Amino acid sequence: MRIRIIGSCGSGKSTAARQLAAMYGTDYYETDNLVWDRSEEGLRYPIEVRDRMPRDIVLVSHQSECGRGRHLDQ
């Protein structure tokens, strides 16, 4: 199961994602964290890092889902 939450800034997407992840016992990813380096205010990741992170998340989530023995959609 994959759930995508779409909404404007400050609309509660992250809160809803955390609650759903807790309810279903799964991971969640905030897309802001794919752009912003949280080590310093206003600091963006370089474009190479931003391009790589979504692929890394997909790889990890596929491994973790397979590890739990769940079927993945292709």
Side-chain angles (χ1 to χ4, degrees):
M1 172 177 39
R2 293 195 176 114
I3 300 172
R4 291 173 183 88
I5 301 171
I6 301 169
S8 60
C9 296
S11 64
K13 297 180 302 291
S14 297
T15 300
R18 274 192 297 277
Q19 291 171 346
L20 287 166
M23 190 167 43
Y24 290 106
T26 190
D27 298 324
Y28 75 97
Y29 302 96
E30 297 179 42
T31 55
D32 283 353
N33 293 337
L34 303 178
V35 175
W36 299 105
D37 182 344
R38 302 299 189 179
S39 67
E40 193 175 315
E41 190 172 329
L43 181 63
R44 285 181 170 215
Y45 285 114
I47 191 76
E48 307 81 42
V49 174
R50 287 184 270 161
D51 285 348
R52 184 183 65 239
M53 279 198 279
R55 288 190 298 268
D56 293 347
I57 288 172
V58 168
L59 289 174
V60 168
S61 68
H62 279 281
Q63 290 168 356
S64 120
E65 294 291 69
C66 288
R68 290 197 292 247
R70 295 176 68 189
H71 176 72
L72 296 173
D73 297 345
Q74 294 295 338

